[in-house]
């Protein structure tokens, strides 16, 4: 049996059992993988694994949504599972076909820039991008360990049958701590790990060497540079016990120092008076049209507005100009879903009811100039992104 036949057989079993779990009233979560598994014809060079998809939505909504390749009232099936994140609006590429524009993809390429994997990830037949659980929640910590224990065996099976040369988990310590906790809950999961430096880890999952790196969506240059410097040492080894962490720390001392200095500077707290000044400068420099000036609310276009506030130490937030008090929990039309996907890729919190997305000032930089410049660029980019929806 060749590898594609093994994958198809895996998909038949996986979709059948995921459907049963998803159909439970207490679960009812949309589920999907990421990359197109139907393109894999030989052992992949790299498998990238996140904790779980982050778009949210229920299984019922997914099955009724024609953008999910016309499932439309049919259950998820093996062919759709194999196609990965195939959600497609009419006349537009599917989510996976658009992955090179995802917020974290450029960061991922930066992380791999000192290895041959930087070129390999451009070939969809040589990589697998997936998740520990295929169930989608807006935030990774919203999926329970119980549900992870029940679903991760299907991902482990995929790892076993495809035998990817390299295995990288996203979200660093957060991911590896959850894997360790899962190993304590299930006899089917054996896992141990150790820190290399920063938020970079190396571990062994059911006998397979794996690397844990921070999720690369909008990380600082210092953190991405550190990951890029460390990864070549980790992928060159296939023996967990023989990895020389002291040597890696010595060879990457400059990058570690720059990363630690950045972390130290980030701890600086901005006074509320400074935040008010930042809000005023952003508004002045961005030349925005107000629709509710008292609350610093401005137009991105005729439909969506941006709030720029000094509350909670400063944040920007997006919602409809004609927003009503019911929030977005019952107003999940396809445009809002698409906008949430864009905002999530740019580091926004998309799980609050009153906002489509919210992002705090501290995510834009460590000093006034960085924050002002970052927010102004963000507003310019958002206007362009929203225009494409």
């Amino acid at each position: 049996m060749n590898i594609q036949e093994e994958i198809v057989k895996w998909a038949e079993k996986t979709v059948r059992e995921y459907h049963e779990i998803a159909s439970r009233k207490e679960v009812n979560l949309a589920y999907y993988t990421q990359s197109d598994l139907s393109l894999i014809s030989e052992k992949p060079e790299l498998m990238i694994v996140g904790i779980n998809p982050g778009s949210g939505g229920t299984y019922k909504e997914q099955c009724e949504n024609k953008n999910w390749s016309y499932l439309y009232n049919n259950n998820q099936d093996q062919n759709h599972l194999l196609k990965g994140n195939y959600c497609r609006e009419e006349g537009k590429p599917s989510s996976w076909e658009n992955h090179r524009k995802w917020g974290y993809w450029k960061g991922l390429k930066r992380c791999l820039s000192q290895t041959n994997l930087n070129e390999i990830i451009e070939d969809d037949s040589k990589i697998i991008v997936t998740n520990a659980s295929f169930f989608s929640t807006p935030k990774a910590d919203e999926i329970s360990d119980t549900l992870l224990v029940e679903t991760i065996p299907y991902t482990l099976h995929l790892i076993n049958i495809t035998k990817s040369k390299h295995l990288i988990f996203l979200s660093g310590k957060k991911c590896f701590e959850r894997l360790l906790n899962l190993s304590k809950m299930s006899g089917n999961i054996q896992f141990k790990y150790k820190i290399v430096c920063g938020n970079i880890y190396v571990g062994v999952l059911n006998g397979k060497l794996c690397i844990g790196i921070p999720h690369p969506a909008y990380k600082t240059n210092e953190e991405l540079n550190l990951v890029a410097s460390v990864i070549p040492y980790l992928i060159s080894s296939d023996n967990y016990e023989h990895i020389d962490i002291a040597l890696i720390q010595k060879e990457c001392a400059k990058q570690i120092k720059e990363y630690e200095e950045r972390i130290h500077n980030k701890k600086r707290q901005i006074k509320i008076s400074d935040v008010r000044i930042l809000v005023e400068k952003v508004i002045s420099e961005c030349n925005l049209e107000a629709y509710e000036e008292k609350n610093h609310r401005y137009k991105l276009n005729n439909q969506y507005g941006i709030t720029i506030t000094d509350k909670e130490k400063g944040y920007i937030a997006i919602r409809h100009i004609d927003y009503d008090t019911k929030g977005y929990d019952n107003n999940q039309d396809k445009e809002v879903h698409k906008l949430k996907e864009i905002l999530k890729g740019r580091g926004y919190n998309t799980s609050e009811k009153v906002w489509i997305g919210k992002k705090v000032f501290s995510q834009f930089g460590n000093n006034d100039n960085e924050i002002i410049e970052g927010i102004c660029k963000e507003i310019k980019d958002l206007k362009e992104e929203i225009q494409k929806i």
Side-chain angles (χ1 to χ4, degrees):
M1 190 179 292
N2 64 38
I3 192 169
Q4 187 55 223
E5 290 172 335
E6 290 270 16
I7 291 173
V8 170
K9 185 178 177 183
W10 166 86
E12 290 174 355
K13 176 181 172 66
T14 298
V15 78
R16 182 171 61 249
E17 299 191 17
Y18 255 87
H19 167 72
E20 290 182 4
I21 302 169
S23 298
R24 295 180 200 155
K25 185 177 180 180
E26 73 274 14
V27 178
N28 191 23
L29 293 169
Y31 70 91
Y32 53 92
T33 55
Q34 298 291 349
S35 60
D36 188 343
L37 296 174
S38 69
L39 300 176
I40 303 297
S41 59
E42 57 186 12
K43 184 172 77 171
E45 289 287 321
L46 173 65
M47 181 182 283
I48 300 163
V49 186
I51 295 175
N52 74 320
S55 60
T58 69
Y59 185 42
K60 184 177 185 294
E61 289 170 340
Q62 182 183 23
C63 292
E64 292 176 350
N65 187 339
K66 67 179 182 180
N67 292 335
W68 281 95
S69 196
Y70 298 92
L71 279 175
Y72 201 59
N73 288 327
N74 293 309
N75 300 330
Q76 176 81 283
D77 58 39
Q78 70 184 59
N79 293 327
H80 288 96
L81 188 71
L82 287 170
K83 297 302 288 185
N85 193 345
Y86 58 89
C87 185
R88 180 198 303 271
E89 293 181 33
E90 189 172 351
K92 295 184 180 181
S94 71
S95 292
W96 175 248
E97 290 170 335
N98 208 37
H99 72 275
R100 289 177 180 83
K101 295 181 181 179
W102 288 359
Y104 86 80
W105 199 257
K106 291 180 182 178
L108 182 61
K109 283 184 67 67
R110 281 274 302 278
C111 291
L112 302 175
S113 61
Q114 296 181 35
T115 73
N116 67 335
L117 296 177
N118 185 46
E119 297 300 323
I120 286 170
I121 65 169
E122 296 296 335
D123 186 343
D124 287 357
S125 71
K126 294 183 179 179
I127 65 165
I128 293 176
V129 181
T130 190
N131 297 96
S133 176
F134 306 150
F135 282 126
S136 180
T137 56
K139 291 183 177 181
D141 58 10
E142 291 173 347
I143 186 165
S144 68
D145 282 348
T146 302
L147 202 52
L148 269 173
V149 164
E150 191 170 10
T151 53
I152 196 174
Y154 302 98
T155 303
L156 295 176
H157 189 197
L158 183 63
I159 291 171
N160 289 338
I161 64 175
T162 55
K163 297 180 173 60
S164 298
K165 187 174 180 181
H166 303 290
L167 182 59
I168 295 178
F169 282 87
L170 304 182
S171 297
K173 183 179 181 180
K174 183 185 291 187
C175 181
F176 272 26
E177 282 184 341
R178 293 202 75 174
L179 286 173
L180 185 63
N181 191 43
L182 297 182
S183 71
K184 295 173 181 177
M185 297 171 63
S186 171
N188 296 321
I189 304 169
Q190 291 81 47
F191 183 69
K192 61 180 179 178
Y193 74 95
K194 54 190 174 185
I195 187 170
V196 179
C197 57
N199 193 18
I200 307 167
Y201 296 79
V202 64
V204 179
L205 177 61
N206 287 9
K208 173 74 175 177
L209 183 73
C210 55
I211 300 165
I213 65 171
H215 199 292
Y218 294 90
K219 292 297 179 182
T220 64
N221 286 330
E222 291 82 0
E223 189 158 18
L224 294 175
N225 288 341
L226 177 58
V227 177
S229 300
V230 170
I231 277 187
Y233 294 95
L234 299 180
I235 68 169
S236 65
S237 176
D238 59 2
N239 190 309
Y240 174 80
E241 302 298 340
H242 293 171
I243 291 174
D244 192 336
I245 291 177
L247 174 63
I248 295 172
Q249 292 176 345
K250 179 181 177 182
E251 294 295 323
C252 301
K254 177 177 178 290
Q255 291 84 358
I256 293 172
K257 182 181 178 183
E258 290 171 349
Y259 164 75
E260 289 178 343
E261 286 177 349
R262 178 79 177 206
I263 294 297
H264 176 75
N265 290 336
K266 192 174 182 180
K267 293 178 180 178
R268 180 178 68 87
Q269 296 295 316
I270 303 172
K271 295 179 181 178
I272 191 67
S273 58
D274 293 334
V275 177
R276 287 175 183 158
I277 292 170
L278 287 180
V279 171
E280 291 171 3
K281 287 184 177 179
V282 168
I283 292 167
S284 173
E285 293 193 19
C286 291
N287 191 29
L288 295 165
E289 179 185 353
Y291 71 90
E292 196 179 312
E293 195 162 9
K294 178 184 176 183
N295 292 312
H296 297 310
R297 290 175 182 155
Y298 302 88
K299 291 183 178 181
L300 290 173
N301 63 8
N302 289 329
Q303 184 176 2
Y304 298 105
I306 182 168
T307 297
I308 307 167
T309 179
D310 58 15
K311 294 177 180 177
E312 301 174 26
K313 299 179 182 177
Y315 66 84
I316 64 174
I318 315 299
R319 68 185 184 190
H320 286 102
I321 290 172
D322 59 352
Y323 170 82
D324 63 39
T325 56
K326 294 178 182 177
Y328 292 97
D329 51 334
N330 295 314
N331 186 25
Q332 297 293 312
D333 59 32
K334 65 179 182 180
E335 273 202 11
V336 171
H337 277 300
K338 183 65 176 177
L339 183 52
K340 278 194 171 187
E341 184 179 332
I342 291 169
L343 295 177
K344 186 175 170 72
R346 300 183 74 89
Y348 284 73
N349 175 0
T350 58
S351 63
E352 293 189 15
K353 289 183 179 181
V354 297
W355 305 111
I356 300 177
K358 176 181 172 182
K359 190 172 182 178
V360 298
F361 279 10
S362 60
Q363 290 178 258
F364 292 98
N366 295 317
N367 58 57
D368 293 358
N369 289 335
E370 285 184 3
I371 291 170
I372 293 167
E373 183 180 339
I375 294 174
C376 289
K377 182 179 184 304
E378 184 85 347
I379 291 170
K380 178 178 179 293
D381 291 347
L382 284 177
K383 285 183 174 181
E384 293 175 357
E385 291 281 359
I386 289 172
Q387 202 169 18
K388 297 174 186 176
I389 296 177

